[in-house]
């Protein structure tokens, strides 16, 4: 009986050894786009923000909670592996509270088309409704930052390195993300391959990622509420930290969980008529602190739909 148990343990050990790449070989992480591939992901979102606005003695405290469902379809893959991906977000409703008041906030549905490399770099974005396309070019002027809408819609994420990775290795990637007609933002990605694990029968690379990019003021579902005749300048940052499980055989993310933190400072010029109203010398600055927790899961059966 003891010898039999030893044989069973030995067979299991051999299977596990053959199941994962050898540490000396390294692992190349790549999305493996295939024309016609359809996936569905669901993201749960919980956010809190503190905003200090002009003419307000106390800060405005806001909380937001909701969920988003994404449908992606690979419509084309060229010879270099660059994919054209249709990204459709279902309309949703978020619950929002501000200083004790509660309301429902719509998140309108939208469809965009991304061109993305196998390493995860977004090369262009176009809006299906408007037909406007934003391409990543070095000459593009830089926008003030992403609003929270664009964080979800534009596919800003971890860009894989050129070289193979072994558990424990880290890498850094800097790139630009197109966010509007002839506009882009600078993004810095830091990644680490933690381990190779099995999740629900899928062979996954467990990754830790930190992505830093500028952020604008808007919340999901909103457009900027800044009056058009008020000049404003902003400075700030956003940091996304997440744990990602990437199925390296299928070339797809199956689960990610992380948080977005940010701090922003806005300076605004007095609006027209300020002198007449006697508020010319009023402090028109504005600040905001934000934390958003996001959990995204590949829906069951999405691979075969």
């Amino acid at each position: 009986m003891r010898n039999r148990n030893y044989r069973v343990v030995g067979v299991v050990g051999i299977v596990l050894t053959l199941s994962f790449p050898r540490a000396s070989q390294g692992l190349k992480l790549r999305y493996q786009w295939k024309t016609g591939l359809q996936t569905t992901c669901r993201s749960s979102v919980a956010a809190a923000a503190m905003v200090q606005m002009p003419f307000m003695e106390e800060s405005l405290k806001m909380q937001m909670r909701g969920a988003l469902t994404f449908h992606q379809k690979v419509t084309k893959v060229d010879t270099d592996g660059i994919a054209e991906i249709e990204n459709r977000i279902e309309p949703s409703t978020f619950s929002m509270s501000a200083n004790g008041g509660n309301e429902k906030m719509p998140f309108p549905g939208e469809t965009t088309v991304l061109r993305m490399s196998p390493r995860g770099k977004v090369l262009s974005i176009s809006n299906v409704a408007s037909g406007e396309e934003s391409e990543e070019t070095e000459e593009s002027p830089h926008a003030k930052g992403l609003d929270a809408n664009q964080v979800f819609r534009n596919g800003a994420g971890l860009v894989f390195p050129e070289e193979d990775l072994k558990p424990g290795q880290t890498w850094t990637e800097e790139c630009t993300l197109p966010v509007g007609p002839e506009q882009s933002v600078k993004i810095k990605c830091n990644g680490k391959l933690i381990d190779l694990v099995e999740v629900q029968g899928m062979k996954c690379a467990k990754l830790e990622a930190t992505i830093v990019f500028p952020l604008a003021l808007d919340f999901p579902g909103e457009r900027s509420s800044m009056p058009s005749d008020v000049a404003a300048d902003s400075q700030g940052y956003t940091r996304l930290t997440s744990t990602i499980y990437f199925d390296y055989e299928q070339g797809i993310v199956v689960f990610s969980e992380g948080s977005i933190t940010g701090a922003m400072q806005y300076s605004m010029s007095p609006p027209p008529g300020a002198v007449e109203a006697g508020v010319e010398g009023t402090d028109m600055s504005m600040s905001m602190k934000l934390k958003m927790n996001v959990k995204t899961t590949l829906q069951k059966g999405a691979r075969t739909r």
Side-chain angles (χ1 to χ4, degrees):
M1 178 65 71
R2 180 176 299 178
N3 290 336
R4 180 181 177 184
N5 290 339
Y6 285 152
R7 286 197 296 270
V8 171
V9 172
V11 170
V12 171
I14 292 172
V15 170
L16 290 176
T17 300
L18 296 176
S19 296
F20 293 100
R22 296 178 182 177
S24 58
Q25 293 177 332
L27 178 66
K28 188 179 292 295
L29 299 177
R30 293 291 185 270
Y31 288 96
Q32 298 178 35
W33 310 118
K34 296 178 181 178
T35 302
L37 175 67
Q38 298 185 55
T39 58
T40 297
C41 295
R42 186 169 176 83
S43 293
S44 59
V45 182
M50 183 86 68
V51 181
Q52 182 65 55
M53 302 181 70
F55 312 113
M56 292 180 59
E57 294 183 1
E58 296 184 359
S59 298
L60 177 64
K61 299 177 182 179
M62 296 185 292
Q63 291 184 318
M64 181 184 68
R65 187 177 296 273
L68 294 171
T69 300
F70 303 78
H71 302 282
Q72 290 191 333
K73 181 179 180 179
V74 179
T75 58
K76 180 181 178 182
V77 181
D78 66 17
T79 55
D80 295 327
I82 295 173
E84 188 174 278
I85 305 167
E86 184 180 274
N87 184 41
R88 179 172 62 88
I89 302 178
E90 292 184 4
S92 183
T93 301
F94 281 63
S95 61
M96 183 174 179
S97 63
N99 282 358
N102 297 290
E103 62 178 301
K104 297 294 184 180
M105 183 178 67
F107 191 110
E110 187 177 69
T111 300
T112 55
V113 176
L114 313 177
R115 287 181 61 249
M116 187 179 292
S117 76
R119 292 175 56 210
K121 186 176 181 181
V122 177
L123 304 176
S124 70
I125 301 170
S126 61
N127 187 292
V128 170
S130 66
E132 290 186 343
E133 181 170 317
S134 306
E135 291 194 15
E136 179 260 325
T137 64
E138 292 301 324
E139 292 76 19
S140 297
H142 296 299
K144 288 297 183 182
L146 296 177
D147 60 35
N149 263 343
Q150 293 169 317
V151 172
F152 296 111
R153 291 182 169 129
N154 290 357
L158 184 63
V159 178
F160 297 135
E162 291 280 5
E163 64 274 7
D164 294 356
L165 290 170
K166 300 174 184 177
Q169 284 190 313
T170 62
W171 77 94
T172 297
E173 186 77 26
E174 294 186 2
C175 58
T176 58
L177 176 72
V179 296
E182 299 184 351
Q183 283 194 325
S184 62
V185 295
K186 292 286 188 180
I187 293 181
K188 182 177 181 180
C189 306
N190 293 311
K192 182 177 183 179
L193 175 57
I194 302 299
D195 201 359
L196 302 179
V197 298
E198 188 168 305
V199 179
Q200 296 181 356
M202 295 171 284
K203 298 171 186 176
C204 295
K206 181 181 179 181
L207 307 165
E208 284 185 355
T210 301
I211 304 169
V212 180
F213 49 85
L215 183 73
L217 183 61
D218 295 347
F219 273 94
E222 294 184 340
R223 299 301 180 189
S224 177
S225 57
M226 202 72 69
S228 59
D229 55 358
V230 175
D233 183 56
S234 63
Q235 292 183 342
Y237 76 94
T238 309
R239 184 185 302 272
L240 166 63
T241 58
S242 62
T243 299
I244 301 168
Y245 290 85
F246 181 77
D247 183 339
Y248 54 83
E249 289 190 332
Q250 300 280 343
I252 195 169
V253 173
V254 298
F255 178 79
S256 66
E257 183 175 22
S259 63
I260 299 172
T261 57
M264 290 141 282
Q265 182 71 36
Y266 284 73
S267 299
M268 296 178 288
S269 64
V275 177
E276 292 80 357
V279 295
E280 182 182 17
T282 303
D283 182 10
M284 298 295 292
S285 63
M286 180 178 182
S287 63
M288 179 179 181
K289 293 182 179 180
L290 168 74
K291 183 171 183 180
M292 181 184 298
N293 295 323
V294 182
K295 182 185 294 186
T296 301
T297 305
L298 180 68
Q299 297 296 281
K300 185 177 180 180
R303 299 172 188 278
T304 58
R305 280 205 291 238

